[in-house]
Amino acid sequence: MPMNKAKLFSILLAALFTFNLTACASDASDDIVTETGTTVPETKIELSDADSRQLVSDDLETVDFGGREFNILSRTNFTYEFDAEQTGDIVDDAVYNRNRTVEERFNVDIITHAYGEGNAANVLEVSDKSILAGDDAYQLISAYTYLAATGSTNGNYMNWYEMPHINFDKPWWAKGFIEAASIHDTVFIATGDLSLLYNEVTLAMLFNKELADELQIDNLYDTVRDGEWTFDKLIEYSALAANDLNGDGIMDQNDRWGLGINTYTHIDCFLYAFEVPVVEKISEGIPEMVINSEKMISVLDKVYSFLIDSGDVFVYEHPTDSFEPGMFESGKGLFMTTWLGNCANLREMDADFGIIPYPKWDESQEHYSTYYLDRTSSFLVPVIADVEFVGTITEVMAAESYKQVIPAFYETALLTKFTRDNESQEMIELILSNVKFDFGNIYTHTIAGGGSGPGHLLRLCILNKNKDFASVYASNEAKFQSNLDKLIEKFIEE
């Protein structure tokens, strides 16, 4: 009996969707025989990352919330994570479209409220007052991670594990961060793709490609790929680059340096790059201080010798920058520590630069690891919130960020605007796949009782030119342990 056109079309369509987009042949044993006896090779579609993301379900039922407001409280300079207009910029448009998708599906109105200026504006000052007044003014709080961690245990914020519709197994949540910030089944802060900053402020190193070629340094990308990019290599190449250009016997901003680094989180990052834990959950999941170790003492000794004694490193006392303005751009440094988003500020640099991870401690270390700047947005939910409403909208916003915003940011902004070669794009993927989180750093201000805590001891030793880590730790140990014990109690009481 002849086949009708509709049936033929359906078979051809099925064949089309099983065709391998990469044109790789299948084994004959995997062939499909259609109703007409035609053999069609069975192959798999290789979807792009953006398309694959669309297939991940948020597992949420659509609910009509009747035009209800969903209010987000954010630091003023980071409201772009949650609110944007259509400007033609791909990331702005993606944020705008994400919000419209959520608003239209659930009939809600997403509103962003700005507070304060600067990275460390304490939005919890506002949210705490709102919660105590019982006015339910904000449904989601976005805050500076260290302050969010410190303020989250005061009884005003929900345990995320008790929030309905929140699924931390989904790829839009930073599972490593959430597990690090948890004790047992309690966590008060969370982050992930809902925060653009989560990817943007991850730490890396830049290198001047022209200067590396001039110094006849091996291809650094290959060095990374071969697992040979170690701290010893950084020390060796920095010594090659450092040069008193004007011959005045004084190394300053007019000379050439091996590395430029700031005295804050960029030094902290060596702990995570070298996989030195601050706190570990060793017994029954309870955090224990472990930073006072033989490896930590070795790391301080070697980092101190490199940063302070070698004369090859420009150590810049600045919260974000690693060189004085213009130095790296004008060839005054071979390497520079930075956060990934800062690469956009180097678009006018004439010389090519590349992006690589922080080095490993030695070749026996399995992975290249890194850390993120504490300006990352972490999220909290007030205890007076309607958890069904807040859980639903937060989860779907995070899911749509994963599907719409992150592909726009990652593939277009991060990999195109911020880089100059395909190798750097490969390096960014490597860097973002190995971000380290540590309870002792997330809660370092809490454990310190304000100010610098155990996660900052490496930088403090460098700044104070003190190589005796054991004595520095001993002078703070009782305070740190007491505050850690009190913090643990707040989690367990929950």
Side-chain angles (χ1 to χ4, degrees):
M1 181 177 179
M3 186 179 300
N4 63 41
K5 292 182 179 179
K7 193 169 186 179
L8 177 61
F9 176 76
S10 66
I11 292 174
L12 291 174
L13 186 63
L16 174 64
F17 274 94
T18 57
F19 184 74
N20 189 338
L21 296 180
T22 60
C24 294
S26 300
D27 293 333
S29 60
D30 293 330
D31 290 351
I32 297 173
V33 179
T34 70
E35 293 183 21
T36 64
T38 304
T39 300
V40 179
E42 180 184 24
T43 54
K44 295 181 181 179
I45 295 175
E46 293 189 3
L47 296 173
S48 69
D49 176 69
D51 288 339
S52 297
R53 288 169 180 257
Q54 300 304 315
L55 300 179
V56 184
S57 173
D58 57 35
D59 299 329
L60 295 169
E61 294 184 5
T62 299
V63 178
D64 186 342
F65 285 110
R68 190 171 177 181
E69 291 183 357
F70 185 80
N71 296 280
I72 302 171
L73 179 62
S74 169
R75 294 167 288 166
T76 298
N77 47 330
F78 299 123
T79 56
Y80 66 83
E81 294 186 294
F82 315 106
D83 184 34
E85 298 296 327
Q86 286 183 305
T87 64
D89 177 89
I90 190 167
V91 176
D92 285 346
D93 290 355
V95 171
Y96 175 87
N97 291 330
R98 173 202 64 194
N99 289 1
R100 299 296 83 76
T101 298
V102 177
E103 289 177 333
E104 291 170 9
R105 178 179 168 190
F106 290 91
N107 191 13
V108 296
D109 185 13
I110 298 171
I111 300 173
T112 303
H113 302 265
Y115 172 76
E117 297 291 343
N119 298 329
N122 192 357
V123 299
L124 271 64
E125 294 173 345
V126 176
S127 61
D128 282 343
K129 290 178 182 178
S130 170
I131 293 164
L132 294 174
D135 61 9
D136 194 24
Y138 312 106
Q139 285 68 60
L140 186 69
I141 314 302
S142 171
Y144 176 74
T145 291
Y146 283 170
L147 293 179
T150 298
S152 67
T153 61
N154 63 3
N156 287 337
Y157 301 97
M158 287 291 301
N159 175 4
W160 276 100
Y161 287 123
E162 296 178 353
M163 288 291 295
H165 311 301
I166 298 296
N167 186 349
F168 287 144
D169 288 328
K170 293 293 188 178
W172 39 85
W173 292 107
K175 194 169 184 178
F177 176 94
I178 292 158
E179 289 176 349
S182 304
I183 297 181
H184 294 167
D185 56 355
T186 301
V187 66
F188 300 105
I189 57 176
T191 193
D193 287 342
L194 190 51
S195 171
L196 277 171
L197 288 165
Y198 175 70
N199 289 313
E200 186 177 350
V201 300
T202 300
L203 289 164
M205 285 191 176
L206 306 185
F207 69 96
N208 185 314
K209 294 172 74 172
E210 293 183 9
L211 183 53
D213 289 342
E214 178 185 326
L215 296 170
Q216 298 183 336
I217 288 173
D218 294 337
N219 184 306
L220 284 164
Y221 296 128
D222 286 341
T223 302
V224 172
R225 294 184 188 108
D226 293 340
E228 297 174 354
W229 175 231
T230 63
F231 192 38
D232 283 339
K233 286 288 187 184
L234 175 62
I235 293 169
E236 175 189 346
Y237 294 156
S238 294
L240 282 176
N243 194 333
D244 180 10
L245 295 178
N246 57 15
D248 64 0
I250 301 172
M251 288 290 289
D252 56 25
Q253 69 273 16
N254 299 308
D255 299 304
R256 192 175 70 201
W257 299 82
L259 171 72
I261 188 169
N262 79 11
T263 53
Y264 291 83
T265 46
H266 294 200
I267 291 180
D268 298 341
C269 191
F270 280 123
L271 291 178
Y272 307 96
F274 299 156
E275 300 184 346
V276 178
V278 178
V279 161
E280 284 188 333
K281 298 170 187 175
I282 299 172
S283 176
E284 299 181 354
I286 299 299
E288 299 179 29
M289 298 287 300
V290 296
I291 194 172
N292 188 26
S293 63
E294 289 299 321
K295 185 171 183 180
M296 178 65 221
I297 293 170
S298 297
V299 166
L300 172 59
D301 184 69
K302 199 164 184 176
V303 171
Y304 187 101
S305 295
F306 177 48
L307 299 187
I308 303 301
D309 295 336
S310 72
D312 300 331
V313 182
F314 188 85
V315 181
Y316 192 30
E317 292 196 32
H318 192 279
T320 57
D321 296 339
S322 298
F323 275 116
E324 290 185 9
M327 286 183 65
F328 186 72
E329 294 90 324
S330 62
K332 298 295 178 61
L334 174 60
F335 297 106
M336 178 178 80
T337 57
T338 192
W339 44 283
L340 289 173
N342 190 46
C343 296
N345 297 325
L346 299 175
R347 279 179 282 185
E348 303 302 318
M349 181 174 168
D350 291 332
D352 277 344
F353 65 84
I355 303 172
I356 54 176
Y358 267 65
K360 298 189 291 186
W361 175 241
D362 56 34
E363 289 189 36
S364 68
Q365 184 175 312
E366 184 176 358
H367 299 293
Y368 295 101
S369 300
T370 190
Y371 185 58
Y372 68 109
L373 292 182
D374 49 24
R375 72 181 70 176
T376 301
S377 297
S378 290
F379 305 112
L380 309 91
V381 176
V383 290
I384 62 174
D386 176 345
V387 293
E388 286 286 333
F389 173 59
V390 176
T392 297
I393 302 305
T394 301
E395 182 74 1
V396 75
M397 282 191 72
E400 292 301 328
S401 292
Y402 169 81
K403 295 177 181 183
Q404 299 189 50
V405 180
I406 296 305
F409 172 75
Y410 185 69
E411 295 178 11
T412 303
L414 198 59
L415 296 184
T416 304
K417 292 182 180 178
F418 298 174
T419 63
R420 298 190 179 189
D421 54 46
N422 292 331
E423 289 91 346
S424 286
Q425 296 183 15
E426 174 193 346
M427 294 296 115
I428 287 176
E429 293 172 2
L430 174 66
I431 291 163
L432 291 176
S433 68
N434 290 293
V435 181
K436 291 289 184 182
F437 302 102
D438 190 303
F439 184 94
N441 196 291
I442 294 170
Y443 291 93
T444 193
H445 287 314
T446 313
I447 297 170
S452 299
H456 300 144
L457 289 181
L458 177 62
R459 83 162 81 146
L460 289 178
C461 288
I462 299 297
L463 280 169
N464 295 328
K465 294 183 171 55
N466 186 348
K467 296 176 67 174
D468 188 354
F469 183 82
S471 66
V472 172
Y473 181 79
S475 65
N476 288 282
E477 182 178 13
K479 178 181 67 173
F480 288 168
Q481 191 60 56
S482 175
N483 289 330
L484 177 59
D485 291 342
K486 292 174 184 176
L487 179 60
I488 293 169
E489 286 177 11
K490 291 181 179 180
F491 277 81
I492 294 176
E493 288 169 2
E494 166 63 24

